[in-house]
Every structure is written in C-alpha cells, then in structure tokens.
Amino acid sequence: MTKVDFYILPSADPSARLDFACKLTEKAWRMGHRIYLHCSDAAQRDDLDARLWAFKGESFVPHGPAESEPDGLIVLGLGNDCGQHQDLLVNLDLKVPAFANKFARVAEVVVEDPAIRTAARESFRFYREQGYPLQDHRLQRL
C-alpha cells in the first residue's frame, strides 16, 4: 500500500515548498529512486524546473517535463497521467491526484500558508479515509 509522508515546513512562504521539493528530490534520486513531481500548473512547473537547475551549485539533478521525457528518472508533470512512474510522487498540487495510489510513496509538502494548510488537511483526511499509512515530519528549520 502507498505510504504517505507529510513534510510540514516552518515557513508561510509558498515558494519554500518548491525549495524543499528540490532537496527531497535530490536526496531521493541519490538513493536510487525515480521521482514524479506533480505540479499544479505550468507556471509552478517552470518555477520548479528553474529551481532544480540552480538550487545547489555543485550538484546536477537530471530532470525534464513529462511530455518530452515521460520515462525519465525525475519528471515534472501536470494533469491526470503520471505515465509509468510508480516509485515516489512529490505532490505539489493542492489536491490529491487520482493516480496517487499507483506510487509506493507520496510526499506532501506543507507550509503555513492558510490555503495550503487547508488543502493539506483535506488531503490528510482523504488519505486516512482510504487507509493509507500516514507519517508527518515537522521540520524545525529549512
């Protein structure tokens, strides 16, 4: 069954979610995982793409959009199709994607912004009602 981790960040800045997603993605990739980053819209995906190139000067995290690299190790996607990915889903949308159950693990990244917290609570309820094992990680610093 899919394991769901909520990462609760000590920031109200929505962009902190993208910065944390970069760190989480790099760590998971170095551990050998395939990562699907589910974005809410094209603007968020473009922002995340730029951050993945620049967030750490000494490292390279190979990634690409789902349309041109559907089978890549790190894919940035939109919409309702995650292709063949089923390892780690980093959900940056405010709702649970219909394909979340295809993944071994799901990471939900939460900041103190009221809209994001409200959406995260709804997602948490959804996962709990579906019987997914849930874990929350309250980070003390970024």
Side-chain angles (χ1 to χ4, degrees), residues 25 29 35 52-53 59-64 69 72-76:
T25 298
W29 172 67
I35 303 103
L52 279 167
W53 283 110
S59 67
F60 171 71
V61 179
H63 66 281
E69 299 180 36
L73 294 175
I74 301 172
V75 173
L76 284 66

Side-chain angles (χ1 to χ4, degrees), residues 78-132:
L78 300 169
N80 298 320
D81 183 14
C82 64
Q84 298 301 311
H85 284 267
Q86 54 188 339
D87 189 4
L88 172 61
L89 166 65
V90 178
N91 184 28
L92 295 168
D93 198 356
L94 295 182
K95 56 189 177 303
V96 176
F99 52 75
N101 63 344
K102 289 179 59 175
F103 286 83
R105 295 192 72 164
V106 174
E108 295 277 353
V109 184
V110 184
V111 293
E112 296 170 4
D113 175 89
I116 294 170
R117 297 261 319 179
T118 299
R121 284 185 187 106
E122 290 174 18
S123 295
F124 188 91
R125 257 191 291 311
F126 170 81
Y127 290 125
R128 187 179 59 213
E129 289 169 1
Q130 300 300 311
Y132 293 105

